[in-house]
Each structure stands twice: as C-alpha cells, then as structure tokens.
Amino acid sequence: RGTWVVGADRKINDRLTVRGENTVDLFGDRGSITRTYGARYTPTDALSFDGGFELGEVDETGGNTLTRHGFSLGADYNPNEDVQAGLRGEYRDETSTDGTLDRDTWLLKGYGNVQTSDDWRLLTDFQALVSNSDTADTRDGRYIEANIGYAYRPAQNDRLNMLFRYTFLEDLPGADQVNIEGTLNGPRQRSHLLSFDVNYDLTKQLT
C-alpha cells in the first residue's frame, strides 16, 4: 500500500560507477526507510569488483523498531568464454529496541565454470546463508547448497546432451522461518544427491 523507491547511478569514468537508492514505506503495515549505496569497479575487461552497504529502519508491531546494517563485497572474473568465476559475500546486522529481533546473518555464494574442451564443461556453484539470533539458539537458521557437475554439450552436433551432477544440501530453518507451504516448523534436512540427466533429440519436434 505504498512503497516509494528513488535511486540513481552515476558513471564516474569507464572503470567506476557509483549508485544510491532510497526505499520508503509510509502507508504499509510497517513503516520503513532503507538507504543503499554502492560502487562497481572494473580495473580490466576480465575482472570487476562490486561493493555496497545498506542502512534501514522498520517499525514493527507493538512499537518495536528494527535497525538494519548490511555490507557486501563481490568479484567476477571472466577472462574468456571458456572460464567464468565469481564470489560474493554479505553481512547483515539487525537490532531491535526490545532485543527480541536481534540477529546476525552471513551470506556467501560463488560459481565457477570451465570449458575443458569443445564438448565438455565443468560446472560448479554454491551458496551458504547462516543466521544467528541473540535471543535463542532455536531461532538460528542455516542453508547451504553446493553443486558440481560435468556436462557434455557437443559443439558440432547437439542432438545428445548429458549432465552428471552431485549436490550437497543442508537446510536447517529457524523456528520462525516460513516454508513454501506458508507454515512454520518446516522439515530440517541434510542431503547428498547424485543425478544423471540425458537429453536426446529423436526429431526436431521430439526430445
């Protein structure tokens, strides 16, 4: 019911771009204001860095005020079409006037893709999010997912495509986390997954 977002990017030169954004919610269920600032620096055509910080306040129900500070830093490396890699980290600190919503959250994610030959590619990615509450350990949450795969994608004839992949998944939601069904107290799991996918084009219309 009324969120206003105002922001701008400014290109300082061919290598440096800065940005700023303000988000204000005046008429919703919880009034809030968030200010974000950041910069992107590209020293070479293959390498780039991106960083930023966020400051915000949210008026919770019952007169409680949540204050949030966030910091992020990332890098991407793409020297050519055969190699792509990136890494990004973020830290967020949240404090409330009554202490019930105090929380520290860390996020780390990355990817790496290497084309080992014209027909084969090594694919990797991971993401990890850890949230710690100052009030009780039962409110802590952790989500970690990592994938590594090897793909066969012929350059001359793509009629046959294959992907072998291993996935590690650890999903330990906190007590107040809402799951996909919209309820609390969702399942906690730690899984190892192996998958093998094959696609074959029998005709142009049928795979």
Side-chain angles (χ1 to χ4, degrees):
R1 293 183 295 179
T3 300
W4 298 81
V5 181
V6 179
D9 293 349
R10 177 174 176 83
K11 187 175 183 180
I12 305 301
N13 51 48
D14 292 339
R15 300 297 184 186
L16 179 62
T17 300
V18 296
R19 63 183 181 274
E21 185 175 277
N22 291 272
T23 303
V24 181
D25 187 349
L26 296 177
F27 309 107
D29 296 333
R30 299 182 301 173
S32 65
I33 180 170
T34 303
R35 299 174 297 277
T36 59
Y37 307 95
R40 184 171 183 85
Y41 177 58
T42 309
T44 67
D45 294 338
L47 182 63
S48 63
F49 298 95
D50 190 284
F53 65 94
E54 173 184 317
L55 309 172
E57 287 188 357
V58 180
D59 295 329
E60 298 286 341
T61 56
N64 200 9
T65 300
L66 178 68
T67 303
R68 176 179 296 139
H69 300 85
F71 307 89
S72 64
L73 183 64
D76 290 284
Y77 180 65
N78 301 297
N80 50 57
E81 295 182 355
D82 297 338
V83 178
Q84 295 93 33
L87 183 66
R88 183 176 183 86
E90 182 175 330
Y91 169 73
R92 178 173 293 183
D93 171 66
E94 296 173 322
T95 57
S96 56
T97 52
D98 64 359
T100 58
L101 300 176
D102 294 1
R103 186 182 298 271
D104 293 327
T105 303
W106 292 266
L107 170 68
L108 183 67
K109 63 179 181 178
Y111 68 94
N113 302 327
V114 179
Q115 185 165 341
T116 57
S117 69
D118 291 341
D119 299 334
W120 293 91
R121 292 173 175 85
L122 178 66
L123 311 172
T124 63
D125 68 84
F126 71 90
Q127 52 186 334
L129 189 146
V130 178
S131 182
N132 294 327
S133 172
D134 291 341
T135 57
D137 291 341
T138 58
R139 294 172 59 89
D140 294 346
R142 183 165 68 248
Y143 179 87
I144 301 173
E145 181 181 353
N147 296 280
I148 182 170
Y150 208 47
Y152 176 67
R153 298 172 181 172
Q156 300 298 325
N157 186 354
D158 61 353
R159 193 171 188 179
L160 174 66
N161 286 267
M162 296 185 297
L163 172 64
F164 179 75
R165 180 172 60 181
Y166 164 72
T167 300
F168 171 78
L169 176 64
E170 183 174 84
D171 188 8
L172 307 177
D176 56 350
Q177 180 172 317
V178 180
N179 61 23
I180 194 172
E181 298 175 350
T183 60
L184 301 177
N185 299 323
R188 298 163 66 87
Q189 64 172 319
R190 183 179 291 113
S191 305
H192 300 272
L193 310 174
L194 286 175
S195 62
F196 184 57
D197 302 317
V198 179
N199 289 342
Y200 185 75
D201 296 335
L202 296 175
T203 66
K204 292 183 178 180
Q205 293 78 26
L206 181 62
T207 300

